[in-house]
Amino acid sequence: MGLNLSIRRIIFNSMFKSNGEKIVQLDHSSVKQISGRAGRRNSPYPNGVVTVRDPADLKHLQQCMSTEIRPVAKAGLLPTASHFQLFADSMRKHGTVDANEIFDETDLHKILLQFNDMARLRGDYGLCRMTQMRLIARWVDDLQLTLPDKYSFCMAPVNETDKRSMKLLKQFASKLAFNATTGVNRREFFARQPGSLEELSVLCAQFHRLELFLWLCQKFPTTSNMIEEQQANKLKEECISVINDGLSKANQLSLDHCYLRRDRNLRASWAKEKKDGKVDDELHEFIAELDDFDDTLQQYEVDDI
């Protein structure tokens, strides 16, 4: 994010996340990568520490931290726009799997599905980003854009789970399709001082949307103008300043309980997917005692955890 932070401690609010298709538990590689942000050489905190908010996750954290990162077994391959264009041209020339179906060479979502089905790779290689690309392609396939342009949108640094980020991407793509100029709404991106950790998180998401807009401006320079880019850069700097100020006063920010609800929902979804709808005893106990945890955590401040 461009923030120069000296972090002593990482606290995992949840050990679960969405990978775009389902809820998964963080593996040891992800846990170590996130934990490694605590502690920095030549900083006030050369040695970092890590913990979890929920005691039920402590065992998994300990297992992850004590597990050696496995050597890379597969190399990821990311086809370029040229690869997909050649594939689309070939499919149009030789026909699709369904002879009765009309093939649209700009329908990137369908092309990605067929490419993924027909690709043959050796065991030590795999295709990258296909799930994220198919998700974004579905959002922009109804627009009159070329296949390379749609591919560029699929490569955008966007959080697919953030509706506002996806809306910004779709609006930008729509403007490009109609050769219109796009910009940012200053009122929407005005950086307000956070009063809670949730509001601080909202500011971070706001920053990422500005980063997305500027990335799109660089990728499609004809859709934006210099004034809009300058305004977006100014809003970005203001956002960074407010975030830094909020982080310096983090121990004074209130803890919003939506974090607890989010973790509970992620945990329940993961357990359901893992056991075909059968929630284990540990999860039942967690849900039953959630209100007690709420009452206790309500008194915590960052320095107390």
Side-chain angles (χ1 to χ4, degrees):
M1 189 181 292
L3 302 176
N4 186 20
L5 300 177
S6 297
I7 301 174
R8 180 171 71 90
R9 174 177 49 206
I10 294 293
I11 303 172
F12 283 89
N13 174 67
S14 177
M15 282 292 184
F16 305 92
K17 70 170 186 177
S18 171
N19 67 357
E21 292 184 333
K22 61 182 180 178
I23 303 301
V24 297
Q25 191 172 35
L26 296 179
D27 59 18
H28 70 281
S29 178
S30 299
V31 169
K32 284 193 170 184
Q33 182 184 26
I34 298 171
S35 302
R37 298 176 184 178
R40 179 182 295 181
R41 184 180 300 176
N42 299 325
S43 76
Y45 311 116
N47 298 315
V49 294
V50 60
T51 187
V52 292
R53 177 192 58 76
D54 189 337
D57 291 326
L58 187 59
K59 183 178 179 180
H60 181 65
L61 174 65
Q62 292 170 336
Q63 290 175 343
C64 289
M65 296 302 292
S66 62
T67 301
E68 292 294 329
I69 296 179
R70 292 186 293 269
V72 176
K74 285 189 175 183
L77 298 177
L78 180 61
T80 66
S82 298
H83 289 122
F84 288 119
Q85 186 67 66
L86 287 172
F87 179 76
D89 292 342
S90 177
M91 293 298 292
R92 183 193 62 210
K93 181 178 179 180
H94 300 290
T96 62
V97 178
D98 186 353
N100 297 322
E101 185 179 2
I102 299 176
F103 183 75
D104 182 1
E105 62 179 359
T106 65
D107 189 341
L108 182 56
H109 182 260
K110 186 175 294 183
I111 291 172
L112 288 171
L113 289 174
Q114 293 182 336
F115 187 92
N116 192 56
D117 289 340
M118 298 177 68
R120 296 293 179 265
L121 302 173
R122 291 172 52 187
D124 49 357
Y125 289 95
L127 293 175
C128 297
R129 288 181 60 95
M130 298 303 287
T131 300
Q132 297 92 327
M133 290 177 67
R134 289 197 300 268
L135 179 62
I136 297 174
R138 190 180 301 168
W139 274 62
V140 299
D141 261 337
D142 62 327
L143 300 174
Q144 296 299 314
L145 296 171
T146 64
L147 191 145
D149 282 345
K150 290 181 179 180
Y151 178 89
S152 294
F153 280 106
C154 290
M155 292 294 101
V158 59
N159 179 2
E160 299 88 357
T161 62
D162 182 8
K163 293 182 180 179
R164 290 190 175 184
S165 294
M166 292 297 287
K167 180 180 177 181
L168 187 152
L169 184 142
K170 182 66 177 286
Q171 289 176 339
F172 199 104
S174 298
K175 293 288 186 179
L176 177 65
F178 289 100
N179 294 319
T181 301
T182 188
V184 293
N185 186 342
R186 181 174 177 82
R187 181 178 299 177
E188 178 183 351
F189 289 98
F190 180 74
R192 298 176 176 82
Q193 287 292 337
S196 67
L197 293 176
E198 171 65 17
E199 292 177 0
L200 184 60
S201 177
V202 170
L203 273 175
C204 293
Q206 186 171 302
F207 170 88
H208 288 302
R209 289 197 298 275
L210 287 168
E211 284 272 271
L212 171 62
F213 177 81
L214 290 168
W215 186 93
L216 292 170
C217 288
Q218 293 296 318
K219 206 69 178 177
F220 304 100
T222 59
T223 312
S224 62
N225 58 55
M226 187 176 297
I227 295 177
E228 293 293 343
E229 286 190 54
Q230 289 176 347
Q231 177 172 298
N233 273 306
K234 183 179 179 180
L235 290 170
K236 174 184 167 183
E237 295 303 318
E238 291 174 358
C239 192
I240 291 176
S241 177
V242 175
I243 290 174
N244 274 321
D245 188 51
L247 288 170
S248 67
K249 302 174 182 177
N251 62 335
Q252 301 174 19
L253 302 179
S254 63
L255 179 62
D256 196 311
H257 281 231
C258 75
Y259 287 101
L260 305 182
R261 299 189 194 98
R262 180 177 182 274
D263 178 50
R264 178 175 58 178
N265 293 336
L266 290 174
R267 189 184 300 269
S269 298
W270 173 77
K272 184 177 180 181
E273 292 170 357
K274 183 180 180 183
K275 299 194 174 184
D276 297 325
K278 294 181 180 179
V279 183
D280 56 21
D281 294 337
E282 180 183 351
L283 180 61
H284 276 303
E285 182 179 351
F286 169 79
I287 295 175
E289 296 179 359
L290 185 65
D291 291 336
D292 294 335
F293 282 141
D294 281 354
D295 294 339
T296 303
L297 289 170
Q298 195 171 20
Q299 304 172 33
Y300 285 0
E301 293 182 356
V302 173
D303 285 342
D304 297 325
I305 301 177

